[in-house]
Amino acid sequence: MANLFSYDFRYDDNEHETETSEAQKEVEDRIGRVYMRLVDPQTLPLGGEIDDTRHRLLRSKHEQFINDSIHGLSSVFTVLDSSRPWIPFWCLNSLDVMGSDIDDRLRRHTTDTLRRMHCPSGGFRSDPWQLPHLASSYAAVMALVVVGGEEAYSVVDRHAMYRWLMEMKQHDGSFAVHTGGEIDVRGIYCALVIASMLNIMTRELVSGCAEFIARCQTFEGGIGPYPGVEAHGGYTLCGLAALEILGCTDVLDLGRLAKWMCVRQMPFEGGFNGRTNKLVDGCYSYWVGGAFPLLQKALRRSANDDYLYERPALQRYILACCQDTRLGGLRDKPGKHPDLYHTMYCLIGLSLSQHYVGVDPAQEIAEKSSVFSVPARMMQWGAVSARSKIIGARINILRPVHPVYGISFGPLAQGIKYFYSLPPLAELLV
């Protein structure tokens, strides 16, 4: 794609209009108008080239958008009441990835807020009358890791968390997201991220997880929520990341997976969609884009090979189309409103497209079957500075992010160092 702009890349419905094709054309019209403003007029006779030097990450606006959200959301956001642990995660992780200051007052406030959401029997919930939920627990644990420090880490009762995770564990290797709740790949991902972060991995906990994920791979090549259901970008990232934690990505047909992932990048827009014949969406900058470093390692490709997608095209979509220049924050696509969810996932997707993050195949740890190899394998990941690809001004550069955990390497390393200095779970259960 390079920086060439041409309407020849637009979707072709072969003169068979559908509701889907009309929606696609409408999105392309909006994005085309954005890109045309960035085209160097002198290049139009040759098709048009976008001037990528003009891209700027609006850091101060995004910081203000996030800080305003931290200090009070309108009544519109009552729909997120059951997802309250996600709000501090989206906010703090966005600030951290941008390298913005997270002051001590905000750290204490976040810690106190999440402490009230911790359930004595394990897991996190928004309110005392709600059930603890795997997704909320994942968000709470990762928010506490971003906050950092013993006061934040000690909010989690590891023993109770393990018991609760085992209660959610199903006979087929999956996890229910809450008592009596749905079962899908997302639950496995959340459970394994929590367990690998807190040093509570056991063979009993991970038993059957890899096999369940393998059964979720579809004929297209991507991963669905559970066997027999359409492949989806979010579940593909969750499944692949969970298998990376387990050290067994080879249970998948990686060739088919690679093909499915590659065609998720839209040729005109530059961003990703999440399913076949769906529209581009900024959040898939992570949910699909973040899966490419994991695929790269699974295929044993080196930094010299680069990822199997066009990194500058994704950055161009995020910086030109997903930033709200008036309100701050990032969004799904032009014409949509910014929100905290899209702000975080656009930012970490942008980071992963800027930095080549991976593991040198020659240095990869051979022992993968033991749950005790997890911290060493996870911290083998790192950014290769010589392979960075950053468009626009240097102000656009974000902190490198670990593709499995979706947070930057600094707080991740500190969290792993703390939790793996604690006694292993086997001693806690004696």
Side-chain angles (χ1 to χ4, degrees):
M1 288 180 211
N3 60 342
L4 175 66
F5 175 78
S6 173
Y7 279 99
D8 291 342
F9 296 139
R10 291 187 60 153
Y11 177 77
D12 181 6
D13 63 8
N14 294 309
E15 299 183 354
H16 293 283
E17 292 184 355
T18 65
E19 185 177 340
T20 300
S21 67
E22 288 301 297
Q24 176 65 26
K25 288 177 182 179
E26 182 180 341
V27 169
E28 289 177 345
D29 286 341
R30 287 180 181 273
I31 292 173
R33 289 193 291 271
V34 172
Y35 284 157
M36 275 300 295
R37 292 196 291 268
L38 298 169
V39 168
D40 180 350
Q42 296 181 359
T43 66
L44 281 172
L46 302 175
E49 290 186 5
I50 294 175
D51 180 4
D52 281 335
T53 64
R54 297 169 59 186
H55 298 298
R56 295 288 186 279
L57 180 66
L58 306 176
R59 286 176 180 270
S60 60
K61 283 186 175 290
H62 302 329
E63 289 174 359
Q64 188 63 53
F65 175 79
I66 293 165
N67 284 316
D68 288 346
S69 300
I70 289 171
H71 293 106
L73 294 169
S74 71
S75 59
V76 173
F77 291 92
T78 54
V79 294
L80 291 177
D81 183 63
S82 62
S83 303
R84 284 170 59 200
W86 283 97
I87 296 173
F89 178 49
W90 293 332
C91 291
L92 269 68
N93 199 33
S94 296
L95 292 172
D96 178 72
V97 171
M98 287 194 291
S100 306
D101 180 52
I102 303 175
D103 61 37
D104 290 341
R105 183 169 174 270
L106 178 55
R107 292 178 190 274
R108 286 194 301 271
H109 176 68
T110 301
T111 301
D112 291 342
T113 298
L114 292 173
R115 184 180 288 112
R116 292 193 295 272
M117 297 180 186
H118 186 262
C119 182
S121 60
F124 286 80
R125 56 193 178 185
S126 292
D127 290 296
W129 54 84
Q130 293 179 350
L131 294 171
H133 194 288
L134 263 175
S136 298
S137 299
Y138 157 84
V141 168
M142 298 316 295
L144 290 166
V145 172
V146 173
V147 169
E150 187 169 359
E151 183 181 0
Y153 300 149
S154 63
V155 168
V156 186
D157 182 333
R158 296 164 63 231
H159 194 180
M161 179 67 81
Y162 179 78
R163 288 187 177 278
W164 178 68
L165 289 177
M166 287 303 296
E167 289 175 9
M168 296 304 102
K169 184 71 188 290
Q170 307 297 306
H171 294 301
D172 61 1
S174 65
F175 287 82
V177 293
H178 60 79
T179 302
E182 66 267 32
I183 294 167
D184 55 42
V185 168
R186 173 189 48 154
I188 296 177
Y189 169 72
C190 292
L192 295 189
V193 165
I194 292 168
S196 64
M197 190 73 241
L198 300 181
N199 186 14
I200 57 174
M201 294 272 283
T202 65
R203 291 191 181 278
E204 292 78 15
L205 185 73
V206 306
S207 175
C209 291
E211 292 78 6
F212 182 88
I213 296 169
R215 293 197 299 273
C216 295
Q217 186 172 25
T218 74
F219 72 95
E220 288 184 287
I223 297 171
Y226 47 87
V229 181
E230 182 185 13
H232 185 282
Y235 294 105
T236 296
L237 182 284
C238 288
L240 197 52
L243 291 173
E244 170 60 17
I245 292 173
L246 295 169
C248 52
T249 53
D250 56 355
V251 301
L252 298 174
D253 183 330
L254 295 173
R256 280 196 297 139
L257 175 63
K259 290 179 182 178
W260 183 86
M261 286 171 56
C262 287
V263 296
R264 300 278 66 75
Q265 187 167 32
M266 309 294 276
F268 182 78
E269 302 94 310
F272 291 100
N273 68 7
R275 290 183 285 162
T276 303
N277 288 329
K278 294 295 183 178
L279 302 175
V280 69
D281 187 329
C283 72
Y284 293 115
S285 303
Y286 173 67
W287 292 121
V288 178
F292 277 93
L294 301 168
L295 177 67
Q296 189 86 349
K297 180 174 181 287
L299 293 172
R300 299 187 61 78
R301 289 166 56 88
S302 72
N304 294 328
D305 299 319
D306 206 354
Y307 301 144
L308 292 171
Y309 77 97
E310 185 65 32
R311 291 160 65 191
L314 177 60
Q315 294 178 49
R316 189 176 303 119
Y317 175 71
I318 295 170
L319 292 169
C321 300
C322 294
Q323 297 191 97
D324 191 303
T325 58
R326 186 176 63 89
L327 299 173
L330 291 100
R331 60 196 178 192
D332 166 351
K333 59 177 69 70
K336 299 286 187 177
H337 293 290
D339 58 62
L340 295 171
Y341 168 87
H342 283 91
T343 295
M344 191 193 84
Y345 287 114
C346 283
L347 286 172
I348 59 178
L350 178 61
S351 168
L352 284 164
S353 66
Q354 293 176 339
H355 305 282
Y356 181 93
V357 176
V359 177
D360 183 349
Q363 304 296 322
E364 190 176 334
I365 293 173
E367 175 52 63
K368 298 179 180 179
S369 60
S370 171
V371 295
F372 298 109
S373 72
V374 174
R377 288 192 292 105
M378 292 302 100
M379 292 317 299
Q380 270 202 308
W381 286 83
V384 181
S385 57
R387 294 298 172 183
S388 296
K389 288 185 179 180
I390 298 161
I391 68 170
R394 290 193 62 79
I395 194 175
N396 297 348
I397 301 175
L398 299 171
R399 288 176 173 171
V401 167
H402 197 297
V404 171
Y405 297 93
I407 65 174
S408 68
F409 285 92
L412 177 64
Q414 290 300 313
I416 286 178
K417 180 180 178 181
Y418 174 84
F419 286 110
Y420 282 84
S421 71
L422 300 176
L425 190 66
E427 292 183 22
L428 289 177
L429 296 177
V430 171

mmCIF file of all heavy atoms in Angstrom, residues 80-110:
data_model
loop_
_atom_site.group_PDB
_atom_site.id
_atom_site.type_symbol
_atom_site.label_atom_id
_atom_site.label_comp_id
_atom_site.label_asym_id
_atom_site.label_seq_id
_atom_site.Cartn_x
_atom_site.Cartn_y
_atom_site.Cartn_z
ATOM 1 N N LEU A 80 -22.605 1.113 31.288
ATOM 2 C CA LEU A 80 -21.351 0.445 31.615
ATOM 3 C C LEU A 80 -21.250 0.091 33.097
ATOM 4 O O LEU A 80 -20.172 -0.267 33.572
ATOM 5 C CB LEU A 80 -20.162 1.341 31.233
ATOM 6 C CG LEU A 80 -19.911 1.568 29.744
ATOM 7 C CD1 LEU A 80 -18.743 2.523 29.549
ATOM 8 C CD2 LEU A 80 -19.642 0.251 29.030
ATOM 9 N N ASP A 81 -22.361 0.179 33.822
ATOM 10 C CA ASP A 81 -22.302 -0.052 35.264
ATOM 11 C C ASP A 81 -21.722 -1.421 35.597
ATOM 12 O O ASP A 81 -20.931 -1.557 36.529
ATOM 13 C CB ASP A 81 -23.698 0.092 35.866
ATOM 14 C CG ASP A 81 -23.684 -0.067 37.378
ATOM 15 O OD1 ASP A 81 -23.043 0.768 38.045
ATOM 16 O OD2 ASP A 81 -24.286 -1.033 37.878
ATOM 17 N N SER A 82 -22.098 -2.442 34.842
ATOM 18 C CA SER A 82 -21.591 -3.783 35.131
ATOM 19 C C SER A 82 -20.167 -3.978 34.636
ATOM 20 O O SER A 82 -19.565 -5.035 34.868
ATOM 21 C CB SER A 82 -22.506 -4.843 34.496
ATOM 22 O OG SER A 82 -22.522 -4.697 33.093
ATOM 23 N N SER A 83 -19.615 -2.980 33.955
ATOM 24 C CA SER A 83 -18.252 -3.067 33.416
ATOM 25 C C SER A 83 -17.326 -2.035 34.062
ATOM 26 O O SER A 83 -16.319 -1.645 33.463
ATOM 27 C CB SER A 83 -18.273 -2.856 31.888
ATOM 28 O OG SER A 83 -19.117 -3.778 31.253
ATOM 29 N N ARG A 84 -17.658 -1.625 35.262
ATOM 30 C CA ARG A 84 -16.905 -0.538 35.884
ATOM 31 C C ARG A 84 -15.406 -0.803 36.033
ATOM 32 O O ARG A 84 -14.611 0.127 35.890
ATOM 33 C CB ARG A 84 -17.523 -0.194 37.241
ATOM 34 C CG ARG A 84 -18.818 0.606 37.102
ATOM 35 C CD ARG A 84 -19.545 0.724 38.426
ATOM 36 N NE ARG A 84 -18.726 1.368 39.442
ATOM 37 C CZ ARG A 84 -18.957 1.264 40.750
ATOM 38 N NH1 ARG A 84 -19.968 0.530 41.181
ATOM 39 N NH2 ARG A 84 -18.184 1.877 41.608
ATOM 40 N N PRO A 85 -14.942 -2.033 36.298
ATOM 41 C CA PRO A 85 -13.492 -2.239 36.384
ATOM 42 C C PRO A 85 -12.746 -1.924 35.084
ATOM 43 O O PRO A 85 -11.544 -1.661 35.110
ATOM 44 C CB PRO A 85 -13.365 -3.725 36.739
ATOM 45 C CG PRO A 85 -14.654 -4.063 37.422
ATOM 46 C CD PRO A 85 -15.687 -3.246 36.707
ATOM 47 N N TRP A 86 -13.473 -1.968 33.952
ATOM 48 C CA TRP A 86 -12.825 -1.662 32.680
ATOM 49 C C TRP A 86 -12.438 -0.192 32.577
ATOM 50 O O TRP A 86 -11.451 0.141 31.911
ATOM 51 C CB TRP A 86 -13.752 -2.013 31.511
ATOM 52 C CG TRP A 86 -13.810 -3.468 31.223
ATOM 53 C CD1 TRP A 86 -14.753 -4.354 31.649
ATOM 54 C CD2 TRP A 86 -12.864 -4.229 30.463
ATOM 55 N NE1 TRP A 86 -14.463 -5.613 31.188
ATOM 56 C CE2 TRP A 86 -13.320 -5.561 30.452
ATOM 57 C CE3 TRP A 86 -11.698 -3.896 29.778
ATOM 58 C CZ2 TRP A 86 -12.628 -6.576 29.795
ATOM 59 C CZ3 TRP A 86 -11.005 -4.912 29.113
ATOM 60 C CH2 TRP A 86 -11.467 -6.225 29.130
ATOM 61 N N ILE A 87 -13.188 0.699 33.196
ATOM 62 C CA ILE A 87 -12.953 2.132 33.009
ATOM 63 C C ILE A 87 -11.570 2.548 33.504
ATOM 64 O O ILE A 87 -10.817 3.210 32.777
ATOM 65 C CB ILE A 87 -14.086 2.959 33.640
ATOM 66 C CG1 ILE A 87 -15.403 2.657 32.901
ATOM 67 C CG2 ILE A 87 -13.770 4.454 33.591
ATOM 68 C CD1 ILE A 87 -16.641 3.281 33.519
ATOM 69 N N PRO A 88 -11.149 2.162 34.731
ATOM 70 C CA PRO A 88 -9.780 2.509 35.125
ATOM 71 C C PRO A 88 -8.719 1.846 34.250
ATOM 72 O O PRO A 88 -7.659 2.439 34.011
ATOM 73 C CB PRO A 88 -9.687 2.042 36.587
ATOM 74 C CG PRO A 88 -10.841 1.137 36.805
ATOM 75 C CD PRO A 88 -11.912 1.580 35.854
ATOM 76 N N PHE A 89 -8.999 0.638 33.774
ATOM 77 C CA PHE A 89 -8.019 -0.016 32.892
ATOM 78 C C PHE A 89 -7.869 0.755 31.584
ATOM 79 O O PHE A 89 -6.754 1.059 31.162
ATOM 80 C CB PHE A 89 -8.437 -1.467 32.624
ATOM 81 C CG PHE A 89 -7.506 -2.200 31.687
ATOM 82 C CD1 PHE A 89 -6.136 -2.172 31.875
ATOM 83 C CD2 PHE A 89 -8.013 -2.923 30.613
ATOM 84 C CE1 PHE A 89 -5.271 -2.853 31.010
ATOM 85 C CE2 PHE A 89 -7.169 -3.603 29.748
ATOM 86 C CZ PHE A 89 -5.795 -3.572 29.946
ATOM 87 N N TRP A 90 -8.981 1.078 30.940
ATOM 88 C CA TRP A 90 -8.901 1.843 29.691
ATOM 89 C C TRP A 90 -8.182 3.172 29.907
ATOM 90 O O TRP A 90 -7.341 3.565 29.095
ATOM 91 C CB TRP A 90 -10.308 2.105 29.154
ATOM 92 C CG TRP A 90 -11.060 0.893 28.695
ATOM 93 C CD1 TRP A 90 -10.537 -0.274 28.196
ATOM 94 C CD2 TRP A 90 -12.479 0.713 28.690
ATOM 95 N NE1 TRP A 90 -11.532 -1.155 27.888
ATOM 96 C CE2 TRP A 90 -12.753 -0.582 28.169
ATOM 97 C CE3 TRP A 90 -13.556 1.521 29.064
ATOM 98 C CZ2 TRP A 90 -14.033 -1.082 28.013
ATOM 99 C CZ3 TRP A 90 -14.847 1.015 28.921
ATOM 100 C CH2 TRP A 90 -15.086 -0.259 28.399
ATOM 101 N N CYS A 91 -8.507 3.858 30.992
ATOM 102 C CA CYS A 91 -7.939 5.188 31.241
ATOM 103 C C CYS A 91 -6.451 5.114 31.561
ATOM 104 O O CYS A 91 -5.622 5.779 30.913
ATOM 105 C CB CYS A 91 -8.683 5.884 32.377
ATOM 106 S SG CYS A 91 -10.384 6.376 31.982
ATOM 107 N N LEU A 92 -6.091 4.321 32.573
ATOM 108 C CA LEU A 92 -4.701 4.297 33.016
ATOM 109 C C LEU A 92 -3.774 3.673 31.983
ATOM 110 O O LEU A 92 -2.638 4.136 31.792
ATOM 111 C CB LEU A 92 -4.579 3.553 34.352
ATOM 112 C CG LEU A 92 -4.702 4.441 35.587
ATOM 113 C CD1 LEU A 92 -6.122 4.976 35.725
ATOM 114 C CD2 LEU A 92 -4.307 3.691 36.853
ATOM 115 N N ASN A 93 -4.252 2.633 31.320
ATOM 116 C CA ASN A 93 -3.390 2.004 30.310
ATOM 117 C C ASN A 93 -3.148 2.950 29.135
ATOM 118 O O ASN A 93 -2.041 3.002 28.590
ATOM 119 C CB ASN A 93 -4.007 0.694 29.821
ATOM 120 C CG ASN A 93 -2.991 -0.205 29.157
ATOM 121 O OD1 ASN A 93 -1.817 -0.225 29.528
ATOM 122 N ND2 ASN A 93 -3.424 -0.960 28.159
ATOM 123 N N SER A 94 -4.158 3.717 28.748
ATOM 124 C CA SER A 94 -3.980 4.703 27.672
ATOM 125 C C SER A 94 -2.943 5.739 28.074
ATOM 126 O O SER A 94 -2.052 6.089 27.288
ATOM 127 C CB SER A 94 -5.314 5.388 27.355
ATOM 128 O OG SER A 94 -6.255 4.475 26.849
ATOM 129 N N LEU A 95 -3.050 6.251 29.300
ATOM 130 C CA LEU A 95 -2.090 7.247 29.782
ATOM 131 C C LEU A 95 -0.683 6.663 29.830
ATOM 132 O O LEU A 95 0.296 7.315 29.418
ATOM 133 C CB LEU A 95 -2.496 7.758 31.155
ATOM 134 C CG LEU A 95 -3.771 8.605 31.225
ATOM 135 C CD1 LEU A 95 -4.147 8.883 32.683
ATOM 136 C CD2 LEU A 95 -3.608 9.926 30.457
ATOM 137 N N ASP A 96 -0.555 5.443 30.323
ATOM 138 C CA ASP A 96 0.762 4.825 30.435
ATOM 139 C C ASP A 96 1.400 4.604 29.069
ATOM 140 O O ASP A 96 2.592 4.889 28.880
ATOM 141 C CB ASP A 96 0.662 3.492 31.185
ATOM 142 C CG ASP A 96 1.997 2.795 31.282
ATOM 143 O OD1 ASP A 96 2.863 3.266 32.048
ATOM 144 O OD2 ASP A 96 2.200 1.788 30.575
ATOM 145 N N VAL A 97 0.628 4.098 28.117
ATOM 146 C CA VAL A 97 1.180 3.828 26.780
ATOM 147 C C VAL A 97 1.619 5.121 26.104
ATOM 148 O O VAL A 97 2.612 5.143 25.353
ATOM 149 C CB VAL A 97 0.152 3.063 25.918
ATOM 150 C CG1 VAL A 97 0.595 2.966 24.469
ATOM 151 C CG2 VAL A 97 -0.062 1.663 26.484
ATOM 152 N N MET A 98 0.918 6.227 26.388
ATOM 153 C CA MET A 98 1.335 7.522 25.836
ATOM 154 C C MET A 98 2.512 8.115 26.604
ATOM 155 O O MET A 98 3.067 9.142 26.191
ATOM 156 C CB MET A 98 0.162 8.505 25.860
ATOM 157 C CG MET A 98 -0.915 8.229 24.837
ATOM 158 S SD MET A 98 -2.066 9.611 24.615
ATOM 159 C CE MET A 98 -2.935 9.576 26.189
ATOM 160 N N GLY A 99 2.895 7.506 27.730
ATOM 161 C CA GLY A 99 3.970 8.060 28.538
ATOM 162 C C GLY A 99 3.532 9.250 29.366
ATOM 163 O O GLY A 99 4.361 10.045 29.818
ATOM 164 N N SER A 100 2.233 9.382 29.579
ATOM 165 C CA SER A 100 1.682 10.505 30.338
ATOM 166 C C SER A 100 1.834 10.250 31.843
ATOM 167 O O SER A 100 1.939 9.109 32.282
ATOM 168 C CB SER A 100 0.203 10.713 30.005
ATOM 169 O OG SER A 100 0.020 10.856 28.608
ATOM 170 N N ASP A 101 1.802 11.317 32.606
ATOM 171 C CA ASP A 101 1.963 11.215 34.055
ATOM 172 C C ASP A 101 0.704 10.629 34.700
ATOM 173 O O ASP A 101 -0.410 11.056 34.405
ATOM 174 C CB ASP A 101 2.247 12.596 34.647
ATOM 175 C CG ASP A 101 2.430 12.539 36.158
ATOM 176 O OD1 ASP A 101 3.252 11.719 36.603
ATOM 177 O OD2 ASP A 101 1.754 13.303 36.873
ATOM 178 N N ILE A 102 0.902 9.636 35.560
ATOM 179 C CA ILE A 102 -0.170 9.100 36.397
ATOM 180 C C ILE A 102 0.220 9.439 37.824
ATOM 181 O O ILE A 102 1.095 8.785 38.416
ATOM 182 C CB ILE A 102 -0.344 7.578 36.211
ATOM 183 C CG1 ILE A 102 -0.603 7.236 34.736
ATOM 184 C CG2 ILE A 102 -1.483 7.057 37.075
ATOM 185 C CD1 ILE A 102 -0.667 5.743 34.450
ATOM 186 N N ASP A 103 -0.385 10.465 38.390
ATOM 187 C CA ASP A 103 0.072 10.941 39.697
ATOM 188 C C ASP A 103 -0.354 9.998 40.824
ATOM 189 O O ASP A 103 -1.191 9.106 40.656
ATOM 190 C CB ASP A 103 -0.409 12.372 39.965
ATOM 191 C CG ASP A 103 -1.929 12.509 39.980
ATOM 192 O OD1 ASP A 103 -2.620 11.587 40.467
ATOM 193 O OD2 ASP A 103 -2.435 13.541 39.495
ATOM 194 N N ASP A 104 0.267 10.188 42.006
ATOM 195 C CA ASP A 104 0.025 9.298 43.147
ATOM 196 C C ASP A 104 -1.441 9.318 43.583
ATOM 197 O O ASP A 104 -1.972 8.294 44.018
ATOM 198 C CB ASP A 104 0.923 9.703 44.316
ATOM 199 C CG ASP A 104 2.390 9.398 44.045
ATOM 200 O OD1 ASP A 104 2.662 8.565 43.155
ATOM 201 O OD2 ASP A 104 3.263 9.999 44.705
ATOM 202 N N ARG A 105 -2.068 10.471 43.472
ATOM 203 C CA ARG A 105 -3.476 10.577 43.883
ATOM 204 C C ARG A 105 -4.358 9.677 43.018
ATOM 205 O O ARG A 105 -5.250 8.989 43.535
ATOM 206 C CB ARG A 105 -3.926 12.030 43.776
ATOM 207 C CG ARG A 105 -5.355 12.293 44.244
ATOM 208 C CD ARG A 105 -5.605 13.796 44.345
ATOM 209 N NE ARG A 105 -6.994 14.088 44.645
ATOM 210 C CZ ARG A 105 -7.928 14.280 43.720
ATOM 211 N NH1 ARG A 105 -7.608 14.221 42.438
ATOM 212 N NH2 ARG A 105 -9.177 14.543 44.064
ATOM 213 N N LEU A 106 -4.104 9.675 41.709
ATOM 214 C CA LEU A 106 -4.877 8.833 40.807
ATOM 215 C C LEU A 106 -4.580 7.356 41.068
ATOM 216 O O LEU A 106 -5.494 6.513 41.027
ATOM 217 C CB LEU A 106 -4.572 9.198 39.353
ATOM 218 C CG LEU A 106 -5.263 8.369 38.269
ATOM 219 C CD1 LEU A 106 -6.773 8.363 38.455
ATOM 220 C CD2 LEU A 106 -4.897 8.908 36.877
ATOM 221 N N ARG A 107 -3.337 7.036 41.354
ATOM 222 C CA ARG A 107 -2.987 5.644 41.655
ATOM 223 C C ARG A 107 -3.720 5.157 42.910
ATOM 224 O O ARG A 107 -4.263 4.045 42.943
ATOM 225 C CB ARG A 107 -1.474 5.509 41.830
ATOM 226 C CG ARG A 107 -0.671 5.728 40.549
ATOM 227 C CD ARG A 107 0.824 5.637 40.794
ATOM 228 N NE ARG A 107 1.581 6.078 39.641
ATOM 229 C CZ ARG A 107 1.916 5.314 38.601
ATOM 230 N NH1 ARG A 107 1.551 4.042 38.591
ATOM 231 N NH2 ARG A 107 2.596 5.808 37.587
ATOM 232 N N ARG A 108 -3.736 5.989 43.956
ATOM 233 C CA ARG A 108 -4.426 5.611 45.192
ATOM 234 C C ARG A 108 -5.928 5.487 44.971
ATOM 235 O O ARG A 108 -6.572 4.556 45.475
ATOM 236 C CB ARG A 108 -4.142 6.649 46.288
ATOM 237 C CG ARG A 108 -2.734 6.581 46.866
ATOM 238 C CD ARG A 108 -2.660 7.397 48.157
ATOM 239 N NE ARG A 108 -3.007 8.794 47.938
ATOM 240 C CZ ARG A 108 -2.142 9.745 47.593
ATOM 241 N NH1 ARG A 108 -0.860 9.433 47.429
ATOM 242 N NH2 ARG A 108 -2.532 11.000 47.436
ATOM 243 N N HIS A 109 -6.483 6.434 44.215
ATOM 244 C CA HIS A 109 -7.922 6.406 43.945
ATOM 245 C C HIS A 109 -8.301 5.134 43.182
ATOM 246 O O HIS A 109 -9.316 4.486 43.498
ATOM 247 C CB HIS A 109 -8.319 7.646 43.143
ATOM 248 C CG HIS A 109 -9.765 7.668 42.740
ATOM 249 N ND1 HIS A 109 -10.793 7.802 43.649
ATOM 250 C CD2 HIS A 109 -10.363 7.534 41.517
ATOM 251 C CE1 HIS A 109 -11.956 7.764 43.010
ATOM 252 N NE2 HIS A 109 -11.724 7.597 41.714
ATOM 253 N N THR A 110 -7.488 4.760 42.212
ATOM 254 C CA THR A 110 -7.763 3.544 41.427
ATOM 255 C C THR A 110 -7.669 2.312 42.311
ATOM 256 O O THR A 110 -8.531 1.414 42.256
ATOM 257 C CB THR A 110 -6.769 3.430 40.261
ATOM 258 O OG1 THR A 110 -6.878 4.584 39.419
ATOM 259 C CG2 THR A 110 -7.033 2.178 39.441
#
